[in-house]
Amino acid sequence: MNSILVQTHANIALIKYWGKRNEKLFLPTKSSISVTISHLKTTTHITFNSENKDHILYNWHNSTKKTIEKITQFLDLFRKKYSIDTHFTITTNNEFPTGAGLASSSSGFAALAIGLDALCALNLTKKEISILARQGSGSACRSVYGGFVQWHKGNRGDGSDSYAEQLFPANHWPELRVILAVVSAQEKLVSSRIGMQQTVATSTSYKQWLAESEQRIPQMIQALENKNFSLVGNLTEADWYGMRQSMLTTIPQLDYCLTTTHDVIHVIQNLRKNNIEAYFTTDAGPNVKILCLDKDLRKICTHLKNIPGVIQVIECAATGDPVAITQ
Ligand code: PMV
């Protein structure tokens, strides 16, 4: 095989990951649950490179130095872990705003892990690929799968039991929709890597959130299994509040929300008062992700598009497994 093309999708966490117990191995302080969504697609092309260095083209025109460094570190880790001494040419493109809390690193590192395994004919299991992706970006271990996914926090020091697994395939719940209300496409000021480090070290409400959030894991699995939309939505928002509180009590304070983020949240809360069921969550950025059912999608999108400051409304659903095409 000479080259491989991989397509992955970003995932949005319903029960969040925010904080590591081991920085080097990317081991989380808690388990998390996500849904891999359509529209936030990463396409990565990998070939062997006969030169003695990697050649990385990220989003073709705007490779930032920081991202290139992260990818290079990941390739070094891969080479060391699997005793491989070749270099690679990598072209990777995200079809969505990068670094604005739209989880671009999740699909990016998942695509790299899947592609490197296939190109080097390692025949790793999905679990092993998930563990590899985790070491590029924690959330990437979940984008190795489509549908609804759980990342087990694990307890072992070597990280061998900290990996993701699919809970339900994408077609388990075709009526579920995720709407992205994009309010800014700017790179975030504090990376999630640094932000979560500061939260673990300083937040006074973090421990309480960890305990409560861990209890939500079995509840969320049950709610997803039963397609209990109200419960999935309420658990998602409860977990978001806990993460937000942990961020706000971090020193220095972490607040990724903009005024428009709060405006979107208020619209969602008002829609609920008017019996249109929708629930929100955000990540390390100002964009809002909204859960709803297909029957209410049009009405909700119309409301979102009318909010001043909302620059894009993207309608998504759960999507299937990554695709790898050998060339
Ligand atoms: O793995 P990272 O660095 O992309 O961290 C992602 C953290 C959140 O998006 C805020 C939450 C999550 O579980 O995806």
Side-chain angles (χ1 to χ4, degrees), residues 11 13 15-18 32 105-106 137-140 142 192-193 196 243 247 283-284:
N11 66 76
I15 302 294
K16 305 289 186 187
Y17 147 63
W18 189 254
S32 53
S105 59
S106 66
S137 165
S139 58
R142 298 185 308 232
S192 50
R193 203 172 287 196
M196 60 178 81
M243 182 177 77
M247 289 175 168
D283 291 289

Side-chain angles (χ1 to χ4, degrees), residues 97-166:
T98 299
L102 284 179
S104 55
S105 59
S106 66
S107 45
F109 283 102
L112 277 178
I114 292 167
L116 290 168
D117 165 57
L119 190 66
C120 299
L122 296 177
N123 288 320
L124 299 179
T125 60
K126 278 256 189 181
K127 176 177 161 182
E128 288 167 324
I129 295 174
S130 175
I131 287 175
L132 174 62
R134 189 198 75 216
Q135 291 173 81
S137 165
S139 58
C141 75
R142 298 185 308 232
S143 271
V144 166
Y145 308 86
F148 302 86
V149 180
Q150 177 179 6
W151 175 7
H152 305 280
K153 112 178 164 45
N155 294 308
R156 293 189 203 134
D158 66 357
S160 57
D161 57 351
S162 183
Y163 60 93
E165 250 179 344
Q166 189 182 66

Side-chain angles (χ1 to χ4, degrees), residues 84-220:
I84 285 165
D85 63 1
T86 59
H87 287 76
F88 304 95
T89 296
I90 293 171
T91 314
T92 183
N93 188 38
N94 287 331
E95 286 176 26
F96 51 97
T98 299
L102 284 179
S104 55
S105 59
S106 66
S107 45
F109 283 102
L112 277 178
I114 292 167
L116 290 168
D117 165 57
L119 190 66
C120 299
L122 296 177
N123 288 320
L124 299 179
T125 60
K126 278 256 189 181
K127 176 177 161 182
E128 288 167 324
I129 295 174
S130 175
I131 287 175
L132 174 62
R134 189 198 75 216
Q135 291 173 81
S137 165
S139 58
C141 75
R142 298 185 308 232
S143 271
V144 166
Y145 308 86
F148 302 86
V149 180
Q150 177 179 6
W151 175 7
H152 305 280
K153 112 178 164 45
N155 294 308
R156 293 189 203 134
D158 66 357
S160 57
D161 57 351
S162 183
Y163 60 93
E165 250 179 344
Q166 189 182 66
L167 292 168
F168 308 102
N171 64 8
H172 167 68
W173 198 355
E175 299 82 14
L176 186 74
R177 293 287 176 272
V178 181
I179 309 169
L180 310 176
V182 181
V183 306
S184 166
Q186 298 291 308
E187 284 273 341
K188 54 197 163 217
L189 292 178
V190 183
S191 70
S192 50
R193 203 172 287 196
I194 300 295
M196 60 178 81
Q197 241 174 47
Q198 293 171 341
T199 299
V200 173
T202 65
S203 165
T204 47
S205 52
Y206 186 60
K207 281 226 167 72
Q208 193 187 338
W209 174 56
L210 289 189
E212 288 169 0
S213 185
E214 205 63 57
Q215 285 175 9
R216 282 184 202 113
I217 294 277
Q219 295 169 0
M220 181 60 94

Side-chain angles (χ1 to χ4, degrees), residues 297-314:
L297 183 73
R298 291 268 67 79
K299 259 187 241 157
I300 297 168
C301 285
T302 306
H303 281 276
L304 292 173
K305 282 176 188 160
N306 285 334
I307 303 172
V310 171
I311 51 183
Q312 207 182 349
V313 173
I314 310 171

